[in-house]
Amino acid sequence: MEAVAEGLWGLAEFHERRGEIGKAVKCLEAICQSQVSFFPIVEVKTRLRIATLLLHHSHNISHAKSHLERSQLLLKSIPSCFELKCRAYSLLSQCYHLVGSIPSQKQILQKGLELTASAGHEISMKLWSCNFNSQLANALSIEGDYRGSISSLECGYTTATEICNPELQMFFATSILHVHLMQWDDDNLVEQAVKRCSEIWQSIEPDKRQQCPGLLFYNELLHIFYRLRLCDYKNAAPHVDNLDAAMKADMQQTQQMQELMKELNALDQSLSRSDLHYRDRAALSEKQSSIQEQLKNMNGLNSTGCETLEPVYFGNVRRTLGDKLPLAPPPIDGEWLPKSAVYALVDLIVVIFGRPKGLFKECTKRFESGMQIIQDELLKLGITDGVTEVELKHSSIWMAGVYLMLLIQFLENKVAVELTRAEFVEAQEALIQMKNWFTRFPTILQACESIIEMLRGQYAHSVGCYNEAAFHFVEAVKLTESKSMQAMCQVYAAVSYICIGDAESSSQALDLITPVYGVMDSFVGVREKTGVLFAYGLLLMKRQDLQEARNRLARGLQLTHTYLGNLQLVSQYLTILGSLALALHDTVQAREILRSSLTLAKKLSDTPTQIWVLSILTALYKELGERGNEMENAEYQTKKIEELQERLADAHASILHLEIIAKVRFEVRQLHETDMKRAMAGPAMGVNLDIPESIGLSAPLPATSSTRLVDTNSRRRGKWRI
């Protein structure tokens, strides 16, 4: 009977390599359903293989779970077989993960850890202990138990250190850093986690680094998020360059692997011919072995190109060869995100870095690239036009959440770019896309509602609807628990109230700014501080406290220039300071500052800021008696105003305009109680990708008279949130 089992296993492997998963499963099920009894260990191995195929290539999780539970019963009668028992625990944990049953997952993982602790000190058991600790940490982080998650990861790190495995050490070190970034409680702990990652990475030999490409992406991304949280753009830039270069190299290698696989499949077809001459068969077999060895070296797979028994960590969409970025060697064999999601994330990072610098051409290219990746992956998950979250399969919810969050991030940056360029109609369309996705997936995208409200405020402010802008900014504050997001939206609302210009609005602006100003030094980084200094400076200008306003704004400009690297915010700071210099009759400094500001505004295609600067320059030339410059400047200003008014007219004429600025939240279809439980059962609900969002500060249209300092304002600033 053992020979029969071997034959069916071989046939199943043949069908699997040809992509005939259904036939492979039937071959294996023939062993389980046979009236003739096989040895328990044969049945266990078979059921584990069936479960693996189902988890990798289907949504039939309940069927996989049944096979694994039957395997556990059979294994109870076998005193040893620790390896198979560990595989069963790991696979069953994956089943619970995919259906969102976190308590059951934690329970099965604890059993796995107890088994490895009692099974001796063999390296294989220590590796399985690492596997279980990594999965347990993930489950705990989904529940929000970050301390428990770090504790499990530290146990894994200790085990990896005991067996002198630097790749595993790096896996746990980066995972610990990830959790610290999600729950930033202590600056020193986060800094220590970053330092440990850098030290371990440098200690790994270059050839071994290539065997775990996922670690390269993971490490670079985490370093970028850390630097951005600190507003350390200068030191984040090299990591962005490394990340982009790594993605391009990986894409090239993936293409080479796909070509080798095509060649290997053609060889398999030739070798399957019964009339093949012995010498030809020998030559083809030798070539086959050579290609298999190349694939093994390139992808870390076994010689047949089949993956290990361990399923991927997140999602169960069928992958093509090379479509995985492993973080660690088996039996960890996991990934943070699928390769396509990482590619999209790299495109997003490049967009976020390029937008404040005015690199809109590259931003557009990366936006299109990232959106195409996301749309393709959503299609694979069955998310087509009209599909809502309650129609998703349980096993698709987590992965759908990943791609939907990325999609919202891209659209958010699209809105920011279009508002910067005063392309209001395009900004409307991107905002409505965000609204449509949110209304279809309100539970999965629940955390994005505050971002959408904030962007509605940005749009309203950009087109001069300051009352509506203030309303949406205040609503955004109510919809988020992030202290940083709340602070920035209060600043945005205050700026909108300042632009309204009456005494009551100024009082409301002060009420919003004062509490943020009092705690601005408590935030990590300087983004909140630069925002509140900007708004407070405007308020002081309105009160004619010009020297104090100048001091606050100069401090804000210094911080922005040193840390944020946001050319638009620098341009806006310079414009206000130029206006102040003119009001204080420092015409030499005013001319120098305003020319610098105009140069930056032109580079960014920021028409409103250009008009604002031009209006102040016109007043400067008039005061200096430079009639020629005054006339030339006024003529160019008139041209820009006409251009902007035309765009504003198009925006106001659009049917989307009123929908966006309306003082009501977007309506969401209320789910029935059973639908809500089903949607929230997926692990996506507790997932935080830690992707920074770039949000901006809109500005009013310039005053017709440049001497009315209360009407000068900024348009936007960049902000990142982890």
Side-chain angles (χ1 to χ4, degrees), residues 209 240 291 421 669 702 708:
R209 291 182 200 172
V240 176
I291 293 176
R421 301 190 298 186
R669 182 177 71 86
R708 294 183 58 204

Side-chain angles (χ1 to χ4, degrees), residues 181-464:
L181 290 176
M182 285 196 287
Q183 189 72 8
W184 191 304
D185 290 328
D186 187 311
D187 292 354
N188 291 328
L189 288 176
V190 181
E191 185 178 355
Q192 289 170 19
V194 172
K195 185 178 179 181
R196 179 160 67 172
C197 286
S198 298
E199 290 174 349
I200 297 172
W201 187 246
Q202 291 303 318
S203 72
I204 301 175
E205 296 176 9
D207 59 330
K208 288 188 176 180
R209 291 182 200 172
Q210 295 177 3
Q211 296 174 12
C212 294
L215 282 176
L216 171 61
F217 284 90
Y218 196 27
N219 186 43
E220 293 293 349
L221 282 165
L222 292 175
H223 273 75
I224 290 168
F225 298 158
Y226 169 69
R227 292 297 171 189
L228 293 178
R229 183 71 181 270
L230 296 178
C231 300
D232 188 359
Y233 282 67
K234 181 179 179 180
N235 287 315
H239 291 287
V240 176
D241 294 338
N242 292 342
L243 193 64
D244 200 28
M247 182 183 75
K248 291 172 181 175
D250 189 76
M251 290 174 68
Q252 185 177 6
Q253 178 172 296
T254 300
Q255 186 177 357
Q256 292 173 354
M257 291 173 63
Q258 290 171 348
E259 290 172 356
L260 286 173
M261 273 306 296
K262 287 181 182 179
E263 191 174 351
L264 186 61
N265 289 334
L267 286 172
D268 288 343
Q269 291 289 336
S270 299
L271 287 168
S272 66
R273 287 169 46 196
S274 59
D275 61 341
L276 194 63
H277 191 275
Y278 171 76
R279 289 183 179 177
D280 293 336
R281 184 177 298 278
L284 291 175
S285 296
E286 184 178 350
K287 190 172 183 180
Q288 181 190 50
S289 298
S290 175
I291 293 176
Q292 289 173 344
E293 186 64 26
Q294 288 183 64
L295 289 170
K296 177 183 176 182
N297 294 333
M298 294 173 74
N299 201 46
L301 303 177
N302 59 39
S303 60
T304 63
C306 296
E307 295 177 55
T308 67
L309 272 176
E310 295 312 300
V312 294
Y313 268 28
F314 303 127
N316 62 334
V317 178
R318 181 178 174 182
R319 308 287 179 80
T320 57
L321 184 67
D323 192 22
K324 186 177 178 183
L325 290 169
L327 290 175
I332 300 296
D333 195 36
E335 58 182 1
W336 174 44
L337 292 172
K339 183 181 289 189
S340 56
V342 173
Y343 280 4
L345 185 52
V346 174
D347 281 333
L348 178 62
I349 293 293
V350 174
V351 169
I352 293 174
F353 256 76
R355 184 181 65 79
K357 298 176 182 178
L359 305 176
F360 299 140
K361 185 176 181 180
E362 181 66 15
C363 287
T364 299
K365 176 184 172 184
R366 294 307 186 103
F367 174 82
E368 292 172 353
S369 170
M371 287 294 285
Q372 187 61 56
I373 291 171
I374 293 168
Q375 289 163 3
D376 290 344
E377 293 301 323
L378 290 177
L379 192 60
K380 292 177 186 177
L381 292 167
I383 299 178
T384 55
D385 291 345
V387 171
T388 62
E389 63 185 22
V390 294
E391 298 173 75
L392 292 178
K393 296 182 177 68
H394 259 304
S395 55
S396 297
I397 290 177
W398 194 94
M399 193 53 65
V402 169
Y403 287 108
L404 288 170
M405 285 294 293
L406 284 169
L407 182 145
I408 292 296
Q409 300 275 339
F410 272 106
L411 289 174
E412 178 191 356
N413 278 274
K414 173 74 169 173
V415 173
V417 167
E418 301 305 349
L419 289 180
T420 298
R421 301 190 298 186
E423 298 288 354
F424 304 121
V425 173
E426 285 76 5
Q428 289 175 350
E429 292 171 355
L431 248 174
I432 293 301
Q433 283 188 59
M434 293 180 75
K435 172 245 183 179
N436 291 339
W437 284 106
F438 172 67
T439 54
R440 287 168 59 192
F441 300 91
T443 314
I444 292 175
L445 296 177
Q446 186 176 3
C448 299
E449 187 174 9
S450 62
I451 297 170
I452 294 172
E453 282 299 309
M454 180 270 298
L455 289 174
R456 293 176 74 184
Q458 302 280 4
Y459 169 80
H461 193 113
S462 296
V463 297

Side-chain angles (χ1 to χ4, degrees), residues 97-109:
H97 174 89
L98 289 169
V99 299
S101 181
I102 304 304
S104 298
Q105 184 186 16
K106 291 194 299 181
Q107 185 179 26
I108 205 70
L109 289 171

Side-chain angles (χ1 to χ4, degrees), residues 516-639:
V516 181
Y517 188 83
V519 298
M520 65 181 180
D521 290 319
S522 67
F523 293 101
V524 177
V526 298
R527 60 182 60 86
E528 295 82 10
K529 192 170 186 176
T530 56
V532 74
L533 284 172
F534 188 93
Y536 199 52
L538 289 176
L539 203 55
L540 289 170
M541 288 170 66
K542 180 176 176 61
R543 295 181 170 186
Q544 297 299 309
D545 190 349
L546 303 186
Q547 192 56 54
E548 186 60 28
R550 194 179 196 181
N551 293 338
R552 303 294 171 88
L553 291 166
R555 176 60 177 154
L557 173 61
Q558 181 185 14
L559 291 172
T560 302
H561 178 71
T562 304
Y563 295 102
L564 292 181
N566 187 326
L567 297 185
Q568 189 175 37
L569 185 55
V570 169
S571 171
Q572 292 158 1
Y573 261 116
L574 288 172
T575 305
I576 301 174
L577 286 167
S579 178
L580 272 169
L582 177 59
L584 294 168
H585 307 291
D586 187 350
T587 55
V588 175
Q589 188 179 57
R591 183 196 298 265
E592 182 181 343
I593 291 174
L594 292 169
R595 282 180 173 175
S596 297
S597 179
L598 184 60
T599 299
L600 290 175
K602 286 181 176 179
K603 180 177 180 180
L604 295 167
S605 302
D606 186 350
T607 303
T609 300
Q610 288 182 55
I611 295 171
W612 179 19
V613 178
L614 290 167
S615 67
I616 303 170
L617 277 172
T618 300
L620 172 65
Y621 294 140
K622 184 175 182 179
E623 183 171 318
L624 293 172
E626 298 180 7
R627 184 63 178 167
N629 284 336
E630 179 187 350
M631 295 295 292
E632 182 181 351
N633 205 72
E635 184 180 347
Y636 185 60
Q637 179 185 346
T638 301
K639 177 184 175 182

